[in-house]
Amino acid sequence: MSAKKEPDNSVPVTWTERSLGTHLGQRLMSDPAVAINELVANSWDAYATKVEITLPKGPDTPFSIADNGSSMTRKEFEDRWGAMDYERRKSQSGLAEKPPQCKDMPDRIAYGRNGQGRFGAFCFTGESYLVETQKNGLLSVFRVSKAYNGIAPIAIKKLAVEQPTDSTGTRIFGETGADMGIAASALRAEIGLRYLHDPNFEVTVDGERVTFEHVQDHISKQTIEIDGVGTAYLIALDAKKAEKNSLRHGVSSVSYTHLRAH
């Protein structure tokens, strides 16, 4: 005689319309400075050497961030973007993944840990954004949308059959644009405070490269005479000083030093 089946008394757990912002933190989806730092950190972790950002300027000019990093295969994208709390260091490592063209370059410590930065695109794109990945000779395109079905906070849809490509990299871009009310110069300063220490990491915002000129308020300079060499200029970029005056998220603050000899 078979055992009596016990009734299923489990209660379903659902997501609500505000769950995504609550889970990730509202600032990631509403503060352009926080969002852009997290998105650029993703490019850093992919060992990109070039990142191009276009800020939204109304419905005809949507947001875009594109890099030439290692990117993701279709399966890697599905596994990483589909996991709300993706553990980067457990699934990958603490180092940035080098694309083929960078295999002989120095290792780079990765910033990412839980993968939340990928959702910073919602700050610039509203209800949905597209992701284009290029890796191992194949290009894939996906749409990531906020979901209000109670089952999950986001929905992911593959938009096309994989196409051959000779490039590597990731592009995240909106379908429509809206003015975020923050100047491009302000975002260049935010980015500069984090990434100017590495000359192999070039970031442009609306076609203008981020340079030391954008972070003058956080720079100290010294002139040093070196016997047998000449004059050296020591440039110290103090991101910790900036931390006291503006709230930041995710990417840690450090002080960087740049030495130029003439």
mmCIF file with all atom_site columns, all heavy atoms in Angstrom, residues 211-221 237:
data_model
loop_
_atom_site.group_PDB
_atom_site.id
_atom_site.type_symbol
_atom_site.label_atom_id
_atom_site.label_alt_id
_atom_site.label_comp_id
_atom_site.label_asym_id
_atom_site.label_entity_id
_atom_site.label_seq_id
_atom_site.pdbx_PDB_ins_code
_atom_site.Cartn_x
_atom_site.Cartn_y
_atom_site.Cartn_z
_atom_site.occupancy
_atom_site.B_iso_or_equiv
_atom_site.pdbx_formal_charge
_atom_site.auth_seq_id
_atom_site.auth_comp_id
_atom_site.auth_asym_id
_atom_site.auth_atom_id
_atom_site.pdbx_PDB_model_num
ATOM 1   N N   . THR A 1 211 ? 40.914 62.383 -19.169 1.00 0.00 ? 211 THR A N   1
ATOM 2   C CA  . THR A 1 211 ? 42.322 62.683 -18.904 1.00 0.00 ? 211 THR A CA  1
ATOM 3   C C   . THR A 1 211 ? 42.457 63.305 -17.519 1.00 0.00 ? 211 THR A C   1
ATOM 4   O O   . THR A 1 211 ? 41.465 63.560 -16.823 1.00 0.00 ? 211 THR A O   1
ATOM 5   C CB  . THR A 1 211 ? 42.892 63.662 -19.945 1.00 0.00 ? 211 THR A CB  1
ATOM 6   O OG1 . THR A 1 211 ? 42.268 64.953 -19.755 1.00 0.00 ? 211 THR A OG1 1
ATOM 7   C CG2 . THR A 1 211 ? 42.627 63.168 -21.372 1.00 0.00 ? 211 THR A CG2 1
ATOM 8   N N   . PHE A 1 212 ? 43.698 63.597 -17.132 1.00 0.00 ? 212 PHE A N   1
ATOM 9   C CA  . PHE A 1 212 ? 43.942 64.235 -15.853 1.00 0.00 ? 212 PHE A CA  1
ATOM 10  C C   . PHE A 1 212 ? 43.329 65.630 -15.774 1.00 0.00 ? 212 PHE A C   1
ATOM 11  O O   . PHE A 1 212 ? 43.099 66.149 -14.676 1.00 0.00 ? 212 PHE A O   1
ATOM 12  C CB  . PHE A 1 212 ? 45.453 64.306 -15.575 1.00 0.00 ? 212 PHE A CB  1
ATOM 13  C CG  . PHE A 1 212 ? 46.051 62.989 -15.153 1.00 0.00 ? 212 PHE A CG  1
ATOM 14  C CD1 . PHE A 1 212 ? 46.744 62.202 -16.060 1.00 0.00 ? 212 PHE A CD1 1
ATOM 15  C CD2 . PHE A 1 212 ? 45.908 62.528 -13.856 1.00 0.00 ? 212 PHE A CD2 1
ATOM 16  C CE1 . PHE A 1 212 ? 47.285 60.987 -15.685 1.00 0.00 ? 212 PHE A CE1 1
ATOM 17  C CE2 . PHE A 1 212 ? 46.447 61.315 -13.465 1.00 0.00 ? 212 PHE A CE2 1
ATOM 18  C CZ  . PHE A 1 212 ? 47.138 60.538 -14.386 1.00 0.00 ? 212 PHE A CZ  1
ATOM 19  N N   . GLU A 1 213 ? 43.065 66.230 -16.908 1.00 0.00 ? 213 GLU A N   1
ATOM 20  C CA  . GLU A 1 213 ? 42.441 67.552 -16.918 1.00 0.00 ? 213 GLU A CA  1
ATOM 21  C C   . GLU A 1 213 ? 41.053 67.513 -16.289 1.00 0.00 ? 213 GLU A C   1
ATOM 22  O O   . GLU A 1 213 ? 40.560 68.537 -15.788 1.00 0.00 ? 213 GLU A O   1
ATOM 23  C CB  . GLU A 1 213 ? 42.343 68.077 -18.350 1.00 0.00 ? 213 GLU A CB  1
ATOM 24  C CG  . GLU A 1 213 ? 43.683 68.305 -19.029 1.00 0.00 ? 213 GLU A CG  1
ATOM 25  C CD  . GLU A 1 213 ? 44.520 69.344 -18.297 1.00 0.00 ? 213 GLU A CD  1
ATOM 26  O OE1 . GLU A 1 213 ? 43.949 70.347 -17.827 1.00 0.00 ? 213 GLU A OE1 1
ATOM 27  O OE2 . GLU A 1 213 ? 45.750 69.143 -18.199 1.00 0.00 ? 213 GLU A OE2 1
ATOM 28  N N   . HIS A 1 214 ? 40.413 66.360 -16.291 1.00 0.00 ? 214 HIS A N   1
ATOM 29  C CA  . HIS A 1 214 ? 39.048 66.252 -15.763 1.00 0.00 ? 214 HIS A CA  1
ATOM 30  C C   . HIS A 1 214 ? 39.012 66.033 -14.258 1.00 0.00 ? 214 HIS A C   1
ATOM 31  O O   . HIS A 1 214 ? 37.922 66.032 -13.668 1.00 0.00 ? 214 HIS A O   1
ATOM 32  C CB  . HIS A 1 214 ? 38.310 65.107 -16.468 1.00 0.00 ? 214 HIS A CB  1
ATOM 33  C CG  . HIS A 1 214 ? 38.163 65.316 -17.938 1.00 0.00 ? 214 HIS A CG  1
ATOM 34  N ND1 . HIS A 1 214 ? 38.803 64.528 -18.878 1.00 0.00 ? 214 HIS A ND1 1
ATOM 35  C CD2 . HIS A 1 214 ? 37.461 66.242 -18.638 1.00 0.00 ? 214 HIS A CD2 1
ATOM 36  C CE1 . HIS A 1 214 ? 38.493 64.959 -20.086 1.00 0.00 ? 214 HIS A CE1 1
ATOM 37  N NE2 . HIS A 1 214 ? 37.692 65.994 -19.969 1.00 0.00 ? 214 HIS A NE2 1
ATOM 38  N N   . VAL A 1 215 ? 40.172 65.829 -13.630 1.00 0.00 ? 215 VAL A N   1
ATOM 39  C CA  . VAL A 1 215 ? 40.202 65.568 -12.182 1.00 0.00 ? 215 VAL A CA  1
ATOM 40  C C   . VAL A 1 215 ? 41.177 66.502 -11.480 1.00 0.00 ? 215 VAL A C   1
ATOM 41  O O   . VAL A 1 215 ? 41.804 66.137 -10.476 1.00 0.00 ? 215 VAL A O   1
ATOM 42  C CB  . VAL A 1 215 ? 40.557 64.087 -11.901 1.00 0.00 ? 215 VAL A CB  1
ATOM 43  C CG1 . VAL A 1 215 ? 39.438 63.169 -12.334 1.00 0.00 ? 215 VAL A CG1 1
ATOM 44  C CG2 . VAL A 1 215 ? 41.859 63.691 -12.589 1.00 0.00 ? 215 VAL A CG2 1
ATOM 45  N N   . GLN A 1 216 ? 41.304 67.716 -11.975 1.00 0.00 ? 216 GLN A N   1
ATOM 46  C CA  . GLN A 1 216 ? 42.272 68.661 -11.430 1.00 0.00 ? 216 GLN A CA  1
ATOM 47  C C   . GLN A 1 216 ? 42.078 68.933 -9.944  1.00 0.00 ? 216 GLN A C   1
ATOM 48  O O   . GLN A 1 216 ? 43.045 69.183 -9.218  1.00 0.00 ? 216 GLN A O   1
ATOM 49  C CB  . GLN A 1 216 ? 42.200 69.983 -12.208 1.00 0.00 ? 216 GLN A CB  1
ATOM 50  C CG  . GLN A 1 216 ? 42.787 69.916 -13.604 1.00 0.00 ? 216 GLN A CG  1
ATOM 51  C CD  . GLN A 1 216 ? 44.274 69.581 -13.578 1.00 0.00 ? 216 GLN A CD  1
ATOM 52  O OE1 . GLN A 1 216 ? 45.047 70.159 -12.830 1.00 0.00 ? 216 GLN A OE1 1
ATOM 53  N NE2 . GLN A 1 216 ? 44.666 68.625 -14.411 1.00 0.00 ? 216 GLN A NE2 1
ATOM 54  N N   . ASP A 1 217 ? 40.826 68.901 -9.467  1.00 0.00 ? 217 ASP A N   1
ATOM 55  C CA  . ASP A 1 217 ? 40.558 69.212 -8.056  1.00 0.00 ? 217 ASP A CA  1
ATOM 56  C C   . ASP A 1 217 ? 41.091 68.138 -7.107  1.00 0.00 ? 217 ASP A C   1
ATOM 57  O O   . ASP A 1 217 ? 41.137 68.356 -5.894  1.00 0.00 ? 217 ASP A O   1
ATOM 58  C CB  . ASP A 1 217 ? 39.050 69.368 -7.828  1.00 0.00 ? 217 ASP A CB  1
ATOM 59  C CG  . ASP A 1 217 ? 38.493 70.599 -8.525  1.00 0.00 ? 217 ASP A CG  1
ATOM 60  O OD1 . ASP A 1 217 ? 39.292 71.483 -8.880  1.00 0.00 ? 217 ASP A OD1 1
ATOM 61  O OD2 . ASP A 1 217 ? 37.269 70.676 -8.711  1.00 0.00 ? 217 ASP A OD2 1
ATOM 62  N N   . HIS A 1 218 ? 41.483 66.992 -7.639  1.00 0.00 ? 218 HIS A N   1
ATOM 63  C CA  . HIS A 1 218 ? 41.920 65.883 -6.800  1.00 0.00 ? 218 HIS A CA  1
ATOM 64  C C   . HIS A 1 218 ? 43.362 65.474 -7.095  1.00 0.00 ? 218 HIS A C   1
ATOM 65  O O   . HIS A 1 218 ? 43.779 64.373 -6.768  1.00 0.00 ? 218 HIS A O   1
ATOM 66  C CB  . HIS A 1 218 ? 40.996 64.686 -7.002  1.00 0.00 ? 218 HIS A CB  1
ATOM 67  C CG  . HIS A 1 218 ? 39.555 65.024 -6.836  1.00 0.00 ? 218 HIS A CG  1
ATOM 68  N ND1 . HIS A 1 218 ? 38.995 65.330 -5.623  1.00 0.00 ? 218 HIS A ND1 1
ATOM 69  C CD2 . HIS A 1 218 ? 38.561 65.145 -7.756  1.00 0.00 ? 218 HIS A CD2 1
ATOM 70  C CE1 . HIS A 1 218 ? 37.711 65.608 -5.787  1.00 0.00 ? 218 HIS A CE1 1
ATOM 71  N NE2 . HIS A 1 218 ? 37.427 65.502 -7.063  1.00 0.00 ? 218 HIS A NE2 1
ATOM 72  N N   . ILE A 1 219 ? 44.116 66.404 -7.693  1.00 0.00 ? 219 ILE A N   1
ATOM 73  C CA  . ILE A 1 219 ? 45.498 66.116 -8.078  1.00 0.00 ? 219 ILE A CA  1
ATOM 74  C C   . ILE A 1 219 ? 46.461 66.996 -7.287  1.00 0.00 ? 219 ILE A C   1
ATOM 75  O O   . ILE A 1 219 ? 46.217 68.182 -7.081  1.00 0.00 ? 219 ILE A O   1
ATOM 76  C CB  . ILE A 1 219 ? 45.707 66.353 -9.590  1.00 0.00 ? 219 ILE A CB  1
ATOM 77  C CG1 . ILE A 1 219 ? 45.048 65.226 -10.392 1.00 0.00 ? 219 ILE A CG1 1
ATOM 78  C CG2 . ILE A 1 219 ? 47.180 66.430 -9.935  1.00 0.00 ? 219 ILE A CG2 1
ATOM 79  C CD1 . ILE A 1 219 ? 45.170 65.406 -11.886 1.00 0.00 ? 219 ILE A CD1 1
ATOM 80  N N   . SER A 1 220 ? 47.549 66.398 -6.834  1.00 0.00 ? 220 SER A N   1
ATOM 81  C CA  . SER A 1 220 ? 48.662 67.162 -6.277  1.00 0.00 ? 220 SER A CA  1
ATOM 82  C C   . SER A 1 220 ? 49.903 66.842 -7.104  1.00 0.00 ? 220 SER A C   1
ATOM 83  O O   . SER A 1 220 ? 50.070 65.715 -7.569  1.00 0.00 ? 220 SER A O   1
ATOM 84  C CB  . SER A 1 220 ? 48.891 66.807 -4.802  1.00 0.00 ? 220 SER A CB  1
ATOM 85  O OG  . SER A 1 220 ? 49.202 65.438 -4.661  1.00 0.00 ? 220 SER A OG  1
ATOM 86  N N   . LYS A 1 221 ? 50.770 67.845 -7.296  1.00 0.00 ? 221 LYS A N   1
ATOM 87  C CA  . LYS A 1 221 ? 51.936 67.679 -8.154  1.00 0.00 ? 221 LYS A CA  1
ATOM 88  C C   . LYS A 1 221 ? 53.202 68.068 -7.406  1.00 0.00 ? 221 LYS A C   1
ATOM 89  O O   . LYS A 1 221 ? 53.203 68.990 -6.593  1.00 0.00 ? 221 LYS A O   1
ATOM 90  C CB  . LYS A 1 221 ? 51.799 68.530 -9.418  1.00 0.00 ? 221 LYS A CB  1
ATOM 91  C CG  . LYS A 1 221 ? 50.588 68.198 -10.269 1.00 0.00 ? 221 LYS A CG  1
ATOM 92  C CD  . LYS A 1 221 ? 50.505 69.100 -11.496 1.00 0.00 ? 221 LYS A CD  1
ATOM 93  C CE  . LYS A 1 221 ? 49.293 68.776 -12.344 1.00 0.00 ? 221 LYS A CE  1
ATOM 94  N NZ  . LYS A 1 221 ? 49.206 69.653 -13.539 1.00 0.00 ? 221 LYS A NZ  1
ATOM 95  N N   . LEU A 1 237 ? 46.947 61.260 -7.638  1.00 0.00 ? 237 LEU A N   1
ATOM 96  C CA  . LEU A 1 237 ? 45.501 61.360 -7.809  1.00 0.00 ? 237 LEU A CA  1
ATOM 97  C C   . LEU A 1 237 ? 44.851 60.707 -6.605  1.00 0.00 ? 237 LEU A C   1
ATOM 98  O O   . LEU A 1 237 ? 44.947 59.493 -6.413  1.00 0.00 ? 237 LEU A O   1
ATOM 99  C CB  . LEU A 1 237 ? 45.069 60.656 -9.096  1.00 0.00 ? 237 LEU A CB  1
ATOM 100 C CG  . LEU A 1 237 ? 43.578 60.545 -9.385  1.00 0.00 ? 237 LEU A CG  1
ATOM 101 C CD1 . LEU A 1 237 ? 42.947 61.928 -9.436  1.00 0.00 ? 237 LEU A CD1 1
ATOM 102 C CD2 . LEU A 1 237 ? 43.346 59.802 -10.687 1.00 0.00 ? 237 LEU A CD2 1
#
